[in-house]
Amino acid sequence: MPRTEFASFSIPHLRILDERGGLDEALAPDLSPPELERLYRGMVWAREADQRMLRLQRQGRMGTFSPSTGQEAAACGPALALGERDWLVPAFRELGALLMRGVPLHRVLLFWGGFEEGNVYPGLDRTLPNAVIVGSQIPHAAGIGYALRLRGEKDAAVLCFFGDGATSEGDFHEGLNFAAVWKAPVVFVCQNNQWAISTPLAKQTAAASVAQKAVAYGMPGVRVDGNDPLAMYEATRAALARARAGEGPTLIEAATYRLMMHTTADDPTKYRGDEEVKAWEGRDPLVRLRLYLERRGHWDEARETALREEVKALIDAEVRRYESMKEFPIAAPFDNVYGTPHPNIAEQKEEFLRALEEDGRRG
């Protein structure tokens, strides 16, 4: 009996905008100048906010956080493709996507400052808070997508972010398998920034790409230049349209790079070299999009200066608001574990409050 080939596959790679701002006209998305400027503004806003948050953390005015510098295109490009009815399910390095979605920066600061209220976005539906537990949000996204199908919401889909480290977690495999079997309208975006804390990608997976893992679950997979905001927009737009049409999930691998530390609690010089970092600095997504806008006559130095001043003033106001909000219920985390009261949680809350009271008496 002859041996035959049962299956074969290939993974497409998408890149539209090169490092010098050169455009592949055949692949370019149909974006208007205001839409392009909104995308660039979101990326600049995220970069400036990230740098300000680092200073706040170093000054002891905020807790540990996960910087997103260098990954703005991978977060903001997909965010531009979202519709109002779509769900956003972030991990913890999608600052640009949250800001473009309309999340106020002071809520992000509250989250990293250790306040429960940083998980709440008043007036903003269909946007989940940061998920620090690696991969935990992936089954949530699959479940939300399945619920959209059951409810017959054909005008909505789910955009779910995670990092390359999450692809080694069981939640990744369970979430993708569930979504594919039930054709849940979910777009999975893996921000492959080459390092899972101090573990390089080569020790994270033996596969040639993260995107090819989609093949095992029966969904399309595409590898995208994650520092190309136009490619990230276009890949996500197409995947969201496919999801809303009832054709099921897609896995997008954004090949990008974390220019800073994993979180402000680690020192990246201990596990990677300067030469590698400098090579990726030359692929800065902000520079790439700005060069393109300038070539098209949509941008100049005066507009750049005005934008930077506007964003910095906005960040100043949000930091003042964050630092003025300190008086929150101290046991609030216990009130939001379940949607309805739970006796075990109530017992833990009482024990916590008793311990605080005893500490107070002891001085």
Side-chain angles (χ1 to χ4, degrees), residues 190-346:
C190 174
Q191 288 209 61
N192 174 10
N193 65 18
Q194 315 302 319
W195 289 90
I197 310 183
S198 57
T199 302
L201 184 67
K203 292 185 178 178
Q204 187 71 235
T205 178
S209 71
V210 171
Q212 71 193 63
K213 296 176 185 287
V215 176
Y217 300 107
M219 70 175 74
V222 56
R223 181 177 164 89
V224 180
D225 182 336
N227 283 15
D228 175 352
L230 300 188
M232 284 305 302
Y233 165 80
E234 179 57 24
T236 308
R237 182 205 60 76
L240 285 170
R242 180 175 178 277
R244 296 188 199 104
E247 297 175 27
T250 300
L251 174 60
I252 297 173
E253 176 188 3
T256 182
Y257 193 77
R258 164 167 57 81
L259 290 174
M260 298 172 68
M261 62 289 288
H262 171 70
T263 72
T264 48
D266 73 290
D267 178 3
T269 64
K270 302 292 185 185
Y271 53 79
R272 69 184 187 189
D274 291 341
E275 188 174 333
E276 176 184 306
V277 178
K278 287 179 180 177
W280 279 92
E281 285 176 346
R283 307 173 195 174
D284 190 321
L286 271 68
V287 173
R288 189 182 298 200
L289 185 55
R290 178 180 173 177
L291 288 172
Y292 170 68
L293 291 173
E294 288 176 346
R295 282 187 177 190
R296 292 291 171 127
H298 300 320
W299 206 250
D300 55 33
E301 191 61 36
R303 298 188 71 174
E304 178 74 16
T305 300
L307 173 62
R308 296 278 178 174
E309 290 176 352
E310 175 200 344
V311 166
K312 287 178 181 176
L314 178 60
I315 293 171
D316 286 344
E318 289 291 293
V319 170
R320 285 195 295 273
R321 188 170 182 184
Y322 155 65
E323 294 192 315
S324 71
M325 301 172 69
K326 298 294 186 185
E327 300 301 325
F328 296 119
I330 198 165
F334 295 94
D335 298 331
N336 301 299
V337 178
Y338 293 106
T340 54
H342 191 287
N344 290 350
I345 299 300

